[in-house]
Amino acid sequence: MTTPEDTRFQSEAHEVLWLRAGEQRLGLLPTLGGAVAAWQCGTPQGMVNLWRPWDGGTDLYRCASFAMVPWSNRISGGSFESAPGRFHAMQPNRQGEPYPIHGDGWLQPWQVAEHGPAHATLVLTSFEHGGNPHHYEATQRFALDAEGLDQVLTVRHLGTEPLPYGLGVHPWFERTPRTRLQAPVQGVWLSGDDPIPTGYSTQLPDDWNLSAGIEAHGSFIDNAFGGWAGTARIEWPERGIALALHMPGFDPGAAADARCCLVYRPPRGDAFCFEPITHPIDAFHLPGRPGLRLLQPGDSLSLRMRWSVHAL
C-alpha cells in the first residue's frame, strides 16, 4: 500500500511494507536486511522524518535503521574465542572496514511472518552466514501507535555449542542546526585511530557529555558509552518535536559496562546515530566480555525499545 508521498521509497528490487497509526507511518524493507526505509510523523508543519529516510539504494548505511545481530559494531583480530582453545574465524563484511561489523543479519533478506495495518513481525533464520559460527533465528517486531513505536529484537541460538551473542539497532537521525541529544551515562570507551577501545574513562569532554546533553553537530564521536540509564531524548527545536526512548525491562542495576549505548557523530553529513546496544565495541576481546550473553542451544536474548514522539 502506498500513497503519493511514498513514491520516493519505491524500488524495483525491494518493496516497502508500510505501517500506519494516526499521524505515524513506518516503512519496512524485509528483503533489504530487514531494515527500515522511513519513520515519519505528521506535524503542523507537515510530515517530518524521525529517522533519516532511505535513499532507495542498496547500502544499508543509507537506510533509516537496521538491526544488528548476532553482535553489534566491530570484532577485532579476525577471530574470537567461545571457550578455551575454541577459536572462530571471522571475515570483514563491509568494504573499507578491516573488521567484521554489525553482525550478519543486516546482510540477509528477512521474511514477513505476519503483519497488520500498524504492526509487523520479520523473521530471519541464519546458518553460519559468510563462514561465521552463529546459527540462529532472529525476530523483529514493530508495533506503531499514534504516540510512537514499540520495537523488539530477539535472537534464539540454534547451534549445538554455546556461543556469545549481542544485539543492537542502528537508527540514523536527521540533524538540523539545533538538534540535541541527551542520555544519562557514566563513562565512555576511548579509542585510537580506529574505534577499537583502548580504555574506559568517566571523564567526559563537554561536547561528549551525554548526561547534560550534546549538540548533533560537534567533534567526531564513534564511541560506546557505559553506565547508560536506558533512556534518551532527541530534540528538533526547529520542528517543535522530540523523540524519547525508554527500554522496557532494562536493568539499571546491571554492571555499568553492560549498560551501553553508542553515538556516531560524523563531522559532515545529514545524520548522526544513537544506538541502543547490549555490549560495547569489540566486547569479544574486552576483559569479562561486558554485555555479551553466552547462549546455550535454544536460549534467547532480546532488546526492547519504546520510542515516543512529543511536542516541544
Side-chain angles (χ1 to χ4, degrees):
M1 175 178 176
T2 61
T3 69
E5 295 115 325
D6 301 330
T7 56
R8 81 187 85 170
F9 303 111
Q10 292 178 0
S11 164
E12 293 182 1
H14 302 286
E15 182 177 355
V16 180
L17 172 64
W18 286 99
L19 309 180
R20 290 180 172 80
E23 295 298 314
Q24 307 272 338
R25 67 183 186 189
L26 183 77
L28 305 179
L29 289 162
T31 60
L32 186 59
V36 177
W39 182 19
Q40 301 173 318
C41 177
T43 73
Q45 303 176 34
M47 193 68 70
V48 299
N49 295 307
L50 298 171
W51 294 340
R52 183 212 58 200
W54 178 45
D55 68 357
T58 58
D59 183 357
L60 270 291
Y61 276 37
R62 297 300 304 178
C63 288
S65 181
F66 59 86
M68 296 181 287
V69 56
W71 76 87
S72 74
N73 216 277
R74 296 164 174 88
I75 300 176
S76 70
S79 69
F80 71 88
E81 190 177 26
S82 62
R86 186 72 171 99
F87 287 91
H88 303 276
M90 308 288 285
Q91 299 296 322
N93 57 5
R94 179 174 172 81
Q95 186 175 2
E97 285 284 352
Y99 312 117
I101 186 169
H102 297 332
D104 53 37
W106 66 305
L107 304 174
Q108 303 176 69
W110 295 54
Q111 303 295 318
V112 179
E114 60 86 27
H115 74 92
H119 70 273
T121 300
L122 308 183
V123 176
L124 166 67
T125 300
S126 179
F127 179 74
E128 299 179 1
H129 180 81
N132 294 335
H134 293 87
H135 179 198
Y136 63 88
E137 179 185 74
T139 304
Q140 294 187 76
R141 294 185 174 90
F142 301 90
L144 199 63
D145 59 50
E147 284 74 44
L149 172 67
D150 287 311
Q151 184 180 9
V152 183
L153 173 62
T154 299
V155 64
R156 182 166 65 95
H157 180 40
L158 301 180
T160 58
E161 63 177 284
L163 282 178
Y165 278 80
L167 297 172
V169 295
H170 199 307
W172 295 80
F173 299 91
E174 286 193 332
R175 53 181 178 183
T176 61
R178 296 170 59 197
T179 304
R180 288 186 60 83
L181 164 66
Q182 189 272 335
V185 298
Q186 295 175 351
V188 62
W189 278 270
L190 303 174
S191 62
D193 293 336
D194 63 13
I196 302 303
T198 57
Y200 183 79
S201 175
T202 57
Q203 303 301 311
L204 300 176
D206 287 344
D207 76 337
W208 287 37
N209 190 346
L210 289 182
S211 296
I214 63 173
E215 303 291 336
H217 297 271
S219 63
F220 177 64
I221 304 175
D222 189 4
N223 298 75
F225 291 77
W228 182 38
T231 63
R233 183 178 176 89
I234 297 99
E235 296 182 350
W236 294 272
E238 300 95 326
R239 298 174 176 176
I241 59 170
L243 184 62
L245 171 64
H246 168 67
M247 306 287 287
F250 191 86
D251 181 7
D257 60 2
R259 293 184 281 118
C260 307
C261 59
L262 188 143
V263 174
Y264 176 62
R265 184 174 66 180
R268 294 172 297 278
D270 57 357
F272 71 101
C273 299
F274 178 82
E275 305 168 25
I277 52 178
T278 61
H279 59 89
I281 299 169
D282 204 31
F284 288 81
H285 296 118
L286 292 177
R289 292 184 185 167
L292 287 174
R293 183 80 61 82
L294 186 69
L295 296 186
Q296 302 291 330
D299 285 353
S300 297
L301 172 66
S302 292
L303 188 63
R304 295 177 170 85
M305 294 146 282
R306 169 63 186 179
W307 304 90
S308 301
V309 182
H310 302 279
L312 288 177

